Amino acid sequence: MTGQLRTEFTGTVATATFDRPEARNAMTWEMYDGLAEFCERVAADPRVRVVVLRGAGGKAFVAGTDIAQFRDFSTGADGHEYERRIDAVVDAVERIPVPTIAVIGGYATGGGLTLAAACDLRICSQSAKFGLPIARTVGNCLSMRNYARLVSLIGAGRAMHLICTAGFIGAEQAERAGLASEVLSESELDGRVAELCAQLADQAPLTMRASKEAIRRLREHALPSGDDLVESCYGSEDFREGVRAFTEKRRPQWRGR
């Protein structure tokens, strides 16, 4: 246990469970640090052949970063540092050398969606909902790396629709878009995940490792900088208003500055 992150190593399978159900598993700094440590441990353990990420409580995979942690942000540099910190953790998930499975029931929102996108497979229950409601909530943006992951999965058009509508798509729509790998009933979910873990653990590890790395390199080819975009959002009056409004449970008043 690290904060509200539980980890378990059982035979060939390593599992990290986001265990903060009272906050829909929203990520604290301690949880992000624990996830990075988990990734390091997995990469160093030759017995691990499959990694599973899942949320506790059945209501969410991860509902993004805990917004209360943004209250001390005052400049664009704060946002830039935050995105660099989160990029390092999401990159660590993506670079895990064995197949990774995100098990998604309920909400995968904001940072939760980006964590799921960094996994190789997203096995979902019918209750799964994906969203990036940042244009409606706090008025921030993603890093270029996370935009690239999302676009590589669902395409630029669907990514913009998801962001601009600031809503959620359900499991079946996510499967059609390429975001969900499989959709199952709640009663089938754990059995299917166990079946996949056994299958993946029995397959050629070097083939899967090489394929993961090849696809990652294709996505990162000539990735442009987006630091100016991050700083323009996180350094804005709108962002500070969005954070205040979110924590005060009211609608933000956007001013475009």
Side-chain angles (χ1 to χ4, degrees):
M1 176 75 81
T2 303
Q4 290 91 4
L5 182 78
R6 288 190 287 111
T7 60
E8 182 179 5
F9 288 69
T10 306
T12 58
V13 180
T15 303
T17 301
F18 307 107
D19 193 3
R20 200 177 171 224
E22 73 282 1
R24 291 187 174 177
N25 303 323
M27 297 287 284
T28 63
W29 304 140
E30 191 175 9
M31 291 168 73
Y32 278 121
D33 291 343
L35 183 57
E37 292 170 7
F38 170 76
C39 293
E40 289 179 8
R41 185 178 171 191
V42 165
D45 190 338
R47 295 168 298 180
V48 175
R49 292 293 187 91
V50 188
V51 166
V52 175
L53 303 185
R54 63 191 314 156
K59 301 293 185 183
F61 172 68
V62 170
T65 298
D66 190 331
I67 301 302
Q69 298 178 131
F70 292 148
R71 285 182 293 196
D72 295 332
F73 284 25
S74 59
T75 68
D78 291 326
H80 179 52
E81 181 58 32
Y82 162 74
E83 290 294 344
R84 287 182 60 185
R85 181 176 182 177
I86 302 310
D87 269 349
V89 179
V90 180
D91 284 356
V93 172
E94 186 176 58
R95 289 175 181 269
I96 288 173
V98 300
T100 52
I101 302 173
V103 183
I104 301 168
Y107 289 91
T109 308
L113 191 156
T114 60
L115 283 171
C119 292
D120 302 310
L121 302 175
R122 284 157 296 281
I123 308 303
C124 305
S125 75
Q126 292 169 336
S127 69
K129 294 184 183 298
F130 297 86
L132 277 171
I134 52 179
R136 175 169 52 83
T137 54
V138 295
N140 61 330
C141 66
L142 305 183
S143 69
M144 290 298 291
R145 301 175 79 83
N146 283 322
Y147 280 123
R149 287 188 186 95
L150 185 60
V151 169
S152 73
L153 282 174
I154 64 175
R158 285 193 178 101
M160 279 303 299
H161 185 270
L162 193 64
I163 293 165
C164 289
T165 59
F168 297 90
I169 60 173
E172 292 182 0
Q173 187 178 357
E175 186 176 30
R176 292 194 297 271
L179 190 52
S181 306
E182 296 182 26
V183 176
L184 303 111
S185 68
E186 295 284 350
S187 62
E188 296 173 312
L189 191 64
D190 286 344
R192 177 57 177 153
V193 172
E195 180 184 8
L196 274 171
C197 286
Q199 177 188 346
L200 294 171
D202 194 44
Q203 293 179 166
L206 295 182
T207 297
M208 291 184 289
R209 180 179 300 193
S211 299
K212 280 173 59 92
E213 179 62 14
I215 291 169
R216 188 192 66 79
R217 291 182 190 181
L218 285 169
R219 181 166 55 243
E220 290 199 351
H221 179 66
L223 187 68
S225 171
D227 293 352
D228 58 324
L229 306 177
V230 168
E231 293 184 13
S232 71
C233 286
Y234 282 94
S236 68
E237 293 177 22
D238 272 0
F239 175 71
R240 290 187 287 278
E241 161 63 8
V243 172
R244 285 193 301 268
F246 190 92
T247 56
E248 294 168 6
K249 301 187 186 319
R250 61 174 175 82
R251 292 179 63 85
Q253 301 297 312
W254 307 117
R255 302 190 184 280
R257 60 177 185 263

